[in-house]
Amino acid sequence: MLSKPARFRDIEAERIQQLTMKKTKAGLRVLLACCVGALVLRAYGEEANAKLWYNKPAINWEKEALPIGNGRLGGMIFGGIEREQIQFNESSLWIGDEKDTGAYQAFGDVFIEFGGQTNAATTNYRRELDISRAVHIVAYNQGGVSFRREYFASHPANVMVFRFTADKPGAYSGSVMLTDMHKGKIVADGNRLTSSGSVAGYKYEDKGPNYSIALNYEAQALVLNEGGSVKAADGRVTFDGVNNLTILISAGTDYVNDRTRGWRGEHPHAQVTAQLKAAAGTTCRKLLASHVVDYQRLYKRVTLKLGDSRSELPTDLRLMKYSEDARELELEALVFQYGRYLMISSSRGALPANLQGLWNNSIRPPWRSDYHTDVNVQMNYWMADQANLGECFTPYAVWLNSIRGVRKAETKAAFKARGWTMHGENGVFGGSTWEWVESGSAWCMQNLWDHYAFTGNKEYLRTLAYPMMKEVCEFWQDRLKALPDGTLVAPNGFSPEHGPREDGVSHDQQLIWDVFNNTVAAADVLGVDREFRNTIAAQRDKLLAPKIGKWGQLQEWMVDRDDPKDDHRHLSHLVAVHPGSQITSQRTPQLAEAARVSLNARGDVSTGWSTAWKINLWARLHDGDRAYKLMGNLLRLVGDTRMNYKNGGGLYANLFDAHPPFQIDGNFGYTAGVCEMLLQSHAGEIHLLPALPKAWTTGRVTGLRARGNLEVDIQWQDGKLVQATLHPRQDGSFQVRYGDKVVELKLRAGRAVVFK
Ligand code: FUC
């Protein structure tokens, strides 16, 4: 199975060599390949490095349990021997309403007790998460029996599957329990456990408001036996003398992302029952096969090879060794792919990934496990298209679209303006709390435009992105204020989460520039709204521009008051460098230099997400070694789960990002950062290896996406480009850069181009 793609690759590579070679002015050799070349040099081969593994069960949910998810349902698996716990979630189980963010809610747990099995008598214990297949495995020996468990969350079947097998018959006896975080009704009937209820009366804070919306929910677990027997007793399902045991679970709520329906649709009972019935009607083998095919269709689009290490250590010790300055390149690649695994597992076909993706074991989770719009949700989605997971972006755009009606109403009341904006905390019913962060909606629009830039999907742009972008422009058209010389500033703004409220804050100015600039481009692509387009283009050019202050820094405020000792985690005034594109090393070198001064002053030690952002920023400033240093800071084994806003960033043993506590933006931001180090496309050109650190002497990446709707494979050796292949998905003109060499190319859809 695995050697076939490699052989295929060689044949295609040979074919490419026979194709025409052109020498360009700049001296880069370019091979123009025919259509078959679209498939060349894709390394679909084995990723030996794609496993997290441990030699003992998890005790701590946040630091040790391992996540599975199908984009809607999620499970955190402990791997206990006498007693297994799978804490589970469904992404729409929320409290809150149109006035209040509320919070994302834990659903419940499945507990499985194995009679007669004890920790003490176990040998060869191993639990692992294979992120190349999205399968979690627990294996151990006990009393002469080899036990093996497989767990996966199937997107096509829309259920989670837990399968328990053994090499001797009748080895499984015990019971299955379901718990419910909202104290609903639990019924055991035959081989089925059901929990159901409503979240009415639950609040995020003791003294918080009563919410006007209360979702109904239901979860079901179906216990299937091969051999032995299964029956309901005392609120559990017990099993006795079973050879192989399968537990299928699904859950849902009556949430719909539609304000006009009051956010409530059908009770989930029928759907959950049907999902389990369909899954139970097939075989585990088929469920697993369709799951792996579905998952790998996304996962295998990108491969990354940075080294050849074959660490024999369990992942926690491996990370510890790395933290002690024995840097291991393949661990860096594993954490990169883990970000992609977490994205595929938490953002498909339902709600977008929240502060914890979709894994949450609390009804009062940190920061509500919500959608924070002063950096966090935007950061979640930087990597989606870069790392070739465009489908995973869609839930985010759909969520924004669903809440914009509520946002418009509150924005109108608060600002007497058209369009819409948000506070820092946001939920699934449009409710938004905490401080106003007026440029938050413009920042979300940047994600929306980028998704178009990466995919070239005009239908998406016309129907989903552009109408929202236009509305956010309208908000700023009504809100901007002219200084005496005609310069436009955002009034009374805020540099998250930092400094006074005042006019002309750089963060606001840069994001308004961004949304105006992108909306001009979008109107051009769609050929619509000529007059509106010209007005915002003119307003964009009158915006107060980025300023360089007295110590050479990029000013965070209109007033030159930046403190060089300020190491605040937010890097709000650098948003024009990344993820924005107003400041680039090529086009605005002085401003880029000022940004470098500011970024230096902020220091290298911070929270998880802040460290991840710094990786991206240093990559944009083309300092690969500094980005690499920050990567090292993020790949630091952290044990503390207490909230730390200063310097606790790193990874837990399960490779979840530690803010601390667990916050997933650091995982996604890290993956985005690695993409930015290898490939950039924000500055009107495709830049190969823009920030390659010295440590990555030789490596290969395939399948990264660039703006303009193309995929790029890059191979390098001794720190130098060996070969890059562009796979355009649509026709277009591109400028391609490597170092200071630049070539101009007209590319045709489906015709790969190889650079030497
Ligand atoms: C912002 C950040 C915090 C935290 C929270 C969820 O408020 O400033 O560090 O990440 O979001």
Side-chain angles (χ1 to χ4, degrees):
M1 250 306 268
L2 292 167
S3 60
K4 198 167 156 205
R7 270 205 312 276
F8 178 72
R9 209 167 63 227
D10 293 339
I11 294 163
E12 292 303 337
E14 248 168 58
R15 240 183 251 175
I16 279 292
Q17 297 298 339
Q18 299 158 4
L19 299 165
T20 359
M21 187 183 287
K22 284 193 175 176
K23 197 139 193 186
T24 67
K25 264 193 239 139
L28 266 184
R29 286 183 300 145
V30 181
L31 294 164
L32 292 178
C34 62
C35 308
V36 292
L39 290 166
V40 301
L41 297 173
R42 317 310 299 273
Y44 292 132
E46 181 181 15
E47 280 205 355
N49 178 41
K51 283 177 184 165
L52 286 69
W53 76 274
Y54 308 83
N55 55 19
K56 49 183 179 305
I59 293 167
N60 184 286
W61 179 91
E62 185 166 1
K63 298 192 279 190
E64 295 167 348
L66 291 170
I68 59 169
N70 71 356
R72 180 184 77 86
L73 290 166
M76 286 286 280
I77 302 161
F78 286 71
I81 295 159
E82 302 176 65
R83 188 183 203 232
E84 172 62 293
Q85 177 180 2
I86 301 127
Q87 184 277 328
F88 68 92
N89 291 98
E90 198 278 344
S91 66
S92 70
L93 189 64
W94 274 76
I95 53 173
D97 57 24
E98 293 190 357
K99 296 219 156 29
D100 193 283
T101 301
Y104 178 50
Q105 299 289 288
F107 217 116
D109 302 82
V110 182
F111 285 101
I112 307 143
E113 286 179 358
F114 297 99
Q117 296 193 24
T118 62
N119 287 340
T122 302
T123 54
N124 295 336
Y125 179 90
R126 179 179 168 111
R127 70 185 167 101
E128 71 171 41
L129 180 62
D130 179 352
I131 62 166
S132 74
R133 295 166 65 235
V135 178
H136 177 281
I137 289 169
V138 173
Y140 55 93
N141 298 337
Q142 193 171 84
V145 182
S146 296
F147 291 93
R148 183 182 164 88
R149 312 176 187 165
E150 278 178 326
Y151 311 66
F152 56 95
S154 164
H155 182 75
N158 228 327
V159 297
M160 290 195 285
V161 182
F162 315 142
R163 167 111 174 131
F164 304 79
T165 57
D167 68 353
K168 298 242 166 70
Y172 284 108
S173 296
S175 63
V176 186
M177 273 175 296
L178 202 56
T179 65
D180 179 352
M181 292 298 282
H182 298 91
K183 302 191 174 65
K185 202 165 120 192
I186 297 189
V187 177
D189 183 16
N191 66 346
R192 188 184 305 263
L193 287 158
T194 305
S195 71
S196 61
S198 139
V199 296
Y202 283 87
K203 299 174 176 192
Y204 184 64
E205 290 148 322
D206 277 337
K207 296 198 176 86
N210 287 314
Y211 306 124
S212 60
I213 301 172
L215 298 178
N216 291 306
Y217 62 83
E218 180 163 317
Q220 291 183 27
L222 211 53
V223 183
L224 307 170
N225 59 309
E226 288 157 45
S229 63
V230 163
K231 65 171 196 281
D234 302 329
R236 303 175 174 214
V237 169
T238 62
F239 50 93
D240 194 33
V242 169
N243 305 337
N244 302 316
L245 185 76
T246 304
I247 301 175
L248 302 173
I249 173 157
S250 187
T253 74
D254 56 1
Y255 172 78
V256 283
N257 60 358
D258 185 350
R259 186 187 192 201
T260 64
R261 293 168 68 187
W263 306 99
R264 299 269 302 276
E266 304 262 298
H267 191 279
H269 173 78
Q271 193 168 40
V272 169
T273 309
Q275 283 159 348
L276 291 183
K277 187 175 175 204
T282 175
T283 63
C284 259
R285 186 192 287 259
K286 280 189 185 151
L287 284 171
L288 178 63
S290 66
H291 161 66
V292 172
V293 166
D294 168 75
Y295 173 78
Q296 291 192 336
R297 189 173 59 79
L298 279 73
Y299 179 79
K300 286 201 163 181
R301 288 176 191 162
V302 173
T303 65
L304 175 64
K305 188 129 192 71
L306 295 175
D308 280 319
S309 60
R310 287 279 179 274
S311 175
E312 301 299 323
L313 291 173
T315 305
D316 45 349
L317 300 183
R318 196 175 169 192
L319 182 59
M320 189 186 288
K321 195 167 154 208
Y322 184 100
S323 309
E324 285 160 359
D325 219 23
R327 301 186 68 157
E328 188 218 324
L329 306 180
E330 286 296 273
L331 184 64
E332 293 161 4
L334 175 67
V335 178
F336 165 80
Q337 289 290 30
Y338 193 49
R340 298 185 64 246
Y341 168 82
L342 294 171
M343 176 57 72
I344 301 170
S345 305
S346 66
S347 183
R348 273 182 91 191
L351 282 157
N354 61 46
L355 284 172
Q356 298 183 179
L358 53 58
W359 298 278
N360 165 31
N361 68 342
S362 169
I363 56 172
R364 290 185 176 169
W367 298 289
R368 304 169 185 261
S369 195
D370 66 7
Y371 301 110
H372 263 59
T373 47
D374 64 350
V375 64
N376 315 90
V377 73
Q378 292 91 343
M379 179 178 288
N380 279 3
Y381 284 94
W382 293 340
M383 56 76 76
D385 282 290
Q386 290 176 307
N388 216 333
L389 299 174
E391 297 88 336
C392 298
F393 183 85
T394 307
Y396 177 41
V398 169
W399 166 69
L400 286 168
N401 190 48
S402 73
I403 62 167
R404 80 195 230 245
V406 182
R407 301 311 321 135
K408 266 199 242 178
E410 199 199 344
T411 300
K412 191 170 174 195
F415 297 99
K416 300 187 180 33
R418 295 170 299 158
W420 53 276
T421 189
M422 309 146 114
H423 302 257
E425 306 171 334
N426 295 273
V428 299
F429 308 106
S432 188
T433 44
W434 193 66
E435 294 265 350
W436 281 106
V437 185
E438 288 96 313
S439 48
S441 58
W443 199 350
C444 295
M445 296 306 106
Q446 181 182 69
N447 291 122
L448 290 191
W449 166 252
D450 260 346
H451 182 61
Y452 166 75
F454 278 102
T455 60
N457 184 341
K458 279 197 195 168
E459 187 58 13
Y460 152 83
L461 183 65
R462 192 177 59 76
T463 57
L464 206 51
Y466 181 75
M468 289 193 257
M469 292 167 74
K470 188 175 174 188
E471 287 173 352
V472 172
C473 288
E474 284 167 351
F475 171 73
W476 286 109
Q477 287 188 304
D478 291 359
R479 179 103 183 116
L480 282 171
K481 154 177 160 186
L483 297 179
D485 68 353
T487 304
L488 294 174
V489 293
N492 196 31
F494 175 50
S495 195
E497 301 179 9
H498 201 208
R501 276 212 169 256
E502 64 186 20
D503 297 350
V505 169
S506 303
H507 185 64
D508 289 340
Q509 297 300 125
Q510 295 173 11
L511 286 170
I512 300 164
W513 186 91
D514 198 87
V515 71
F516 281 2
N517 194 53
N518 292 339
T519 307
V520 166
D524 288 345
V525 168
L526 297 171
V528 296
D529 296 335
R530 197 84 223 132
E531 207 176 307
F532 167 75
R533 177 241 178 256
N534 291 341
T535 311
I536 53 171
Q539 287 172 322
R540 172 196 61 197
D541 297 339
K542 282 197 182 147
L543 285 167
L544 177 71
K547 289 167 70 167
I548 299 175
K550 53 183 182 264
W551 45 281
Q553 87 283 14
L554 193 70
Q555 283 181 214
E556 186 158 0
W557 294 279
M558 183 159 69
V559 181
D560 187 1
R561 72 153 76 80
D562 304 69
D563 175 356
K565 293 206 180 64
D566 178 358
D567 61 358
H568 197 273
R569 65 192 179 287
H570 280 269
L571 307 152
S572 310
H573 54 317
L574 304 182
V575 79
V577 178
H578 178 277
S581 56
Q582 190 181 4
I583 298 176
T584 69
S585 303
Q586 287 98 327
R587 289 194 301 224
T588 56
Q590 275 139 1
L591 290 172
E593 181 49 34
R596 181 187 299 271
V597 170
S598 290
L599 187 55
N600 250 325
R602 283 295 217 254
D604 292 344
V605 176
S606 194
T607 62
W609 66 258
S610 177
T611 309
W613 195 358
K614 286 171 186 167
I615 298 171
N616 287 274
L617 281 161
W618 283 116
R620 284 276 175 102
L621 294 170
H622 302 157
D623 189 337
D625 287 333
R626 189 64 173 272
Y628 189 69
K629 177 174 181 225
L630 270 296
M631 282 180 56
N633 290 354
L634 195 58
L635 269 64
R636 188 176 75 97
L637 181 63
V638 171
D640 204 340
T641 56
R642 286 169 302 183
M643 207 170 268
N644 180 339
Y645 283 94
K646 265 286 204 220
N647 53 13
L651 298 179
Y652 293 122
N654 57 7
L655 305 187
F656 266 172
D657 173 73
H659 175 292
F662 162 45
Q663 198 173 288
I664 208 160
D665 43 15
N667 289 106
F668 294 143
Y670 170 91
T671 297
V674 172
C675 293
E676 291 285 346
M677 289 162 80
L678 297 171
L679 179 71
Q680 293 176 13
S681 59
H682 62 288
E685 55 183 30
I686 293 170
H687 194 161
L688 306 170
L689 303 178
L692 190 70
K694 283 196 199 75
W696 292 351
T697 45
T698 296
R700 185 188 67 211
V701 67
T702 64
L704 292 185
R705 273 206 169 241
R707 291 169 185 83
N709 194 12
L710 56 148
E711 287 179 24
V712 182
D713 306 336
I714 310 173
Q715 228 178 300
W716 67 95
Q717 204 173 344
D718 301 326
K720 298 216 165 54
L721 176 72
V722 174
Q723 178 163 310
T725 310
L726 309 186
H727 305 265
R729 299 286 178 246
Q730 68 184 50
D731 297 354
S733 297
F734 296 89
Q735 192 160 304
V736 183
R737 171 185 294 274
Y738 174 62
D740 50 14
K741 292 177 180 147
V742 178
V743 290
E744 308 262 353
L745 288 176
K746 274 202 178 4
L747 298 185
R748 297 267 306 280
R751 279 182 67 141
V753 170
V754 184
F755 289 86
K756 292 277 181 185

